[in-house]
Amino acid sequence: MNANTTEFYINGQWVAPLNGHTRPLINPATEQQYATVAMGDTGDVDAAVDAAKGAFSSWSKTPVAERMALFERIIGGYKKRFAEIAQAITQEMGAPASLSQSAQAAMGLGHFAATLNVLKNFAFSQRQGTTEIRKEPIGVVGLITPWNWPMNQVICKVAPALAAGCTIVLKPSQDASLSAALLAEILHEAGVPAGVFNVIQGAGAKIGDYMSRHADIDMISFTGSTQAGTQVAKAAADTVKRVALELGGKSANIILDDADITRSVTNGIKAVFANSGQTCTAPTRMLVPNSLLPQALAVAKAVGEASIKAVGDPTSDKTGIGPVAHQRQFEKIQEMIAKGIDEGATLLCGGLGKPAGLETGYYVKPTIFSDVTNDMTIAREEIFGPVLVIIGYEDDADAVRIANDSPYGLSGYVSGTDVDRVRLVASQMRTGMVHLNDAKPDLQAPFGGYKQSGNGREWGEYGLEDFLEVKSVLGWHNDAE
Ligand code: NAD
């Protein structure tokens, strides 16, 4: 896979980093180095910010029709390179080829299309009496993203920021630099004007932190861990920039007593194990009525044991679950599994170590714990691996109480037959999203969390609003008009 990860895309050109620091990029399936990434310095950030600042005046004034035409060209270019993008994602973070194609790469395309659709009808100004209320691009935006859904996370920021008329400095994860470099090539070929979109690569604690403090960056849109998001918010405080945070989760999946238990348990497990559990919205706490626990655990054990056979080489079409993205992640997941065992939870399937025959690569055994209480570490902390905990509950009120007893509030899941009851339970969940009866993602609906899962809203119209300032122009209209 060829993409320029050793230079930065600044002011419409690929430029050499100011210092020669690099880091190896490791394929998580083979543990072999496939490329190196340049690790940027503060001077590289300054150059990218200068370029974005210089381009803002003209880009912010482009007619919407011009931005829409650009989006059409970007979508065309993305489609042409779709296969390469999917391969890059599999190589850099280990998603199985089928998932990289059907979801990982497809979501990026979906966000460009959804944002284009929003642009068609979006009201950038509206009248209120004699006042005109205008929505204007916030300015230079710094985008900081993680590695787990790399194209999705980058594009659900880049697309609305571009559509709003902002100029961009993107710092993707140092573990997902390949797909971001490919995106820079696509935007360049589509004719994004010089300086409007810039990419620098490197360490979050260094250049991400510097971006958060930068006086010429008007907004940081951050997706990543709650720990790093908190640091970003603190670093950004002195410059009073807007900070939109999309952070971690520990989402509850409430299976009501009138649900189809086999279906709900099976789908719940699959939703956790997909992408090797590295999805912020994964339903990692399954809540089952105590009366139905024996049945649910029998289904979970069968599905969990079958899942171990689906783990393998992510480039194979037969693989359902790839490795986790890197060694750090593998070690963290092992520590959390050990913690679950130590704290007295019962291993229903999976456990410590790698699946048989997969000693090379960061492969984890898909793991399910039962006899879990909501105060255990494995029920409270985000594990970000293929690890599910099953917790029993007494009645609907108890289920809602357990679901909401979490520092996180990203997503919730409810399944059951009585639609009114399902909706009532959903309405009591303190989360930014709730999926009823296996509802699919909706790219036009707002995406984001309550509590320590963040404060921003991405996707669709709400995603565009995040990148806009609101200006009241009083006296714009005459009373007589
Ligand atoms: P991470 O927080 O380690 O890194 C995310 C990004 O932040 C990277 O680009 C990193 O370089 C940068 N970063 C790290 N420390 C920083 C600092 N002090 N200042 C500025 N930038 C910094 O997260 P990760 O391991 O890459 O991703 C996994 C996390 O992302 C999980 O917690 C997951 O739940 C979360 N996530 C949230 C959403 C969402 O929309 N809510 C979506 C995907 C992932």
Side-chain angles (χ1 to χ4, degrees):
M1 175 63 50
N2 279 328
N4 194 346
T5 52
T6 53
E7 292 182 311
F8 301 146
Y9 183 73
I10 298 176
N11 212 14
Q13 291 179 322
W14 290 96
V15 298
L18 292 178
N19 73 37
H21 296 157
T22 59
R23 176 176 182 272
L25 291 171
I26 306 292
N27 181 327
T30 61
E31 299 184 35
Q32 297 296 309
Q33 178 174 352
Y34 61 88
T36 55
V37 61
M39 297 297 279
D41 218 324
T42 54
D44 300 303
V45 176
D46 288 334
V49 173
D50 281 351
K53 202 175 165 189
F56 180 70
S57 170
S58 59
W59 179 248
S60 58
K61 297 187 188 75
T62 46
V64 169
E66 204 177 299
R67 288 181 218 160
M68 285 170 56
L70 176 68
F71 267 61
E72 299 279 12
R73 297 196 299 277
I74 294 171
I75 288 169
Y78 193 104
K79 283 182 178 163
K80 272 198 215 135
R81 303 192 69 177
F82 190 90
E84 258 180 282
I85 293 167
Q87 280 165 20
I89 294 170
T90 293
Q91 186 170 18
E92 66 191 356
M93 55 72 66
S98 56
L99 184 77
S100 287
Q101 288 155 21
S102 65
Q104 287 272 9
M107 291 281 275
L109 192 57
H111 287 303
F112 275 126
T115 308
L116 175 59
N117 209 28
V118 170
L119 258 189
K120 281 182 189 152
N121 299 309
F122 191 79
F124 281 94
S125 63
Q126 69 186 76
R127 180 178 177 169
Q128 185 179 288
T130 57
T131 300
E132 182 76 356
I133 299 171
R134 299 168 65 92
K135 293 186 177 165
E136 301 185 341
I138 192 163
V140 174
V141 295
L143 312 181
I144 303 177
T145 54
W147 46 263
N148 60 318
W149 283 84
M151 266 317 207
N152 166 63
Q153 279 137 0
V154 166
I155 295 173
C156 73
K157 297 183 191 303
V158 167
L162 275 181
C166 295
T167 56
I168 298 166
V169 176
L170 167 68
K171 193 214 82 68
S173 167
Q174 54 274 44
D175 294 304
S177 26
L178 204 52
S179 50
L182 277 179
L183 181 67
E185 289 176 14
I186 292 167
L187 297 192
H188 182 83
E189 281 157 24
V192 172
V196 170
F197 174 75
N198 306 278
V199 181
I200 44 172
Q201 312 262 12
K206 184 164 194 177
I207 60 171
D209 180 73
Y210 186 66
M211 285 169 68
S212 307
R213 296 173 194 280
H214 208 294
D216 288 333
I217 292 186
D218 301 288
M219 169 182 176
I220 292 281
S221 176
F222 174 90
T223 300
S225 61
T226 298
Q227 194 186 14
T230 316
Q231 294 302 316
V232 167
K234 286 180 185 164
D238 284 342
T239 48
V240 198
K241 55 172 62 74
R242 184 180 297 170
V243 178
L245 300 173
E246 304 290 341
L247 309 175
K250 192 76 190 178
S251 299
N253 178 6
I254 300 180
I255 299 177
L256 295 174
D257 62 12
D258 64 349
D260 176 335
I261 291 291
T262 303
R263 204 188 94 175
S264 300
V265 171
T266 304
N267 289 348
I269 293 169
K270 287 186 174 162
V272 173
F273 291 172
N275 209 36
S276 299
Q278 302 164 123
T279 298
C280 52
T281 52
T284 48
R285 287 185 297 150
M286 182 181 282
L287 308 191
V288 176
N290 284 327
S291 56
L292 296 174
L293 262 179
Q295 192 186 337
L297 295 185
V299 175
K301 191 170 172 60
V303 175
E305 280 169 357
S307 300
I308 296 179
K309 298 186 194 112
V311 182
D313 173 5
T315 60
S316 160
D317 286 341
K318 295 192 183 72
T319 294
I321 303 173
V324 297
H326 39 69
Q327 173 125 24
R328 271 189 338 277
Q329 200 58 28
F330 176 82
E331 283 162 6
K332 182 189 157 202
I333 296 164
Q334 297 299 305
E335 280 166 25
M336 291 299 278
I337 294 174
K339 191 105 186 159
I341 296 167
D342 285 352
E343 288 187 358
T346 302
L347 257 185
L348 207 57
C349 66
L352 290 166
K354 296 184 178 180
L358 292 170
E359 283 73 24
T360 302
Y362 308 127
Y363 294 99
V364 173
K365 290 181 193 164
T367 297
I368 304 178
F369 281 107
S370 60
D371 297 318
V372 175
T373 54
N374 202 45
D375 56 353
M376 289 182 183
T377 309
I378 52 170
R380 301 210 74 76
E381 291 186 15
E382 187 182 49
I383 300 174
F384 228 52
V387 182
L388 170 71
V389 302
I390 301 182
I391 302 173
Y393 70 84
E394 274 309 311
D395 54 19
D396 293 8
D398 193 34
V400 170
R401 182 191 61 74
I402 296 169
N404 287 339
D405 176 16
S406 171
Y408 295 110
L410 190 53
S411 200
Y413 299 77
V414 190
S415 52
T417 306
D418 177 344
V419 176
D420 289 338
R421 186 173 162 213
V422 167
R423 288 178 181 158
L424 180 65
V425 169
S427 68
Q428 296 171 78
M429 294 180 86
R430 298 278 302 153
T431 56
M433 298 162 280
V434 190
H435 298 245
L436 309 187
N437 288 322
D438 305 318
K440 298 260 174 303
D442 174 356
L443 295 190
Q444 301 281 2
F447 182 104
Y450 285 15
K451 301 195 273 183
Q452 290 183 27
S453 289
N455 56 17
R457 287 295 176 274
E458 300 196 307
W459 303 18
E461 194 169 324
Y462 283 83
L464 180 59
E465 296 269 6
D466 250 18
F467 290 98
L468 294 167
E469 282 283 19
V470 180
K471 179 190 272 180
S472 294
V473 192
L474 295 87
W476 179 282
H477 300 280
N478 296 323
D479 280 334
E481 260 184 89

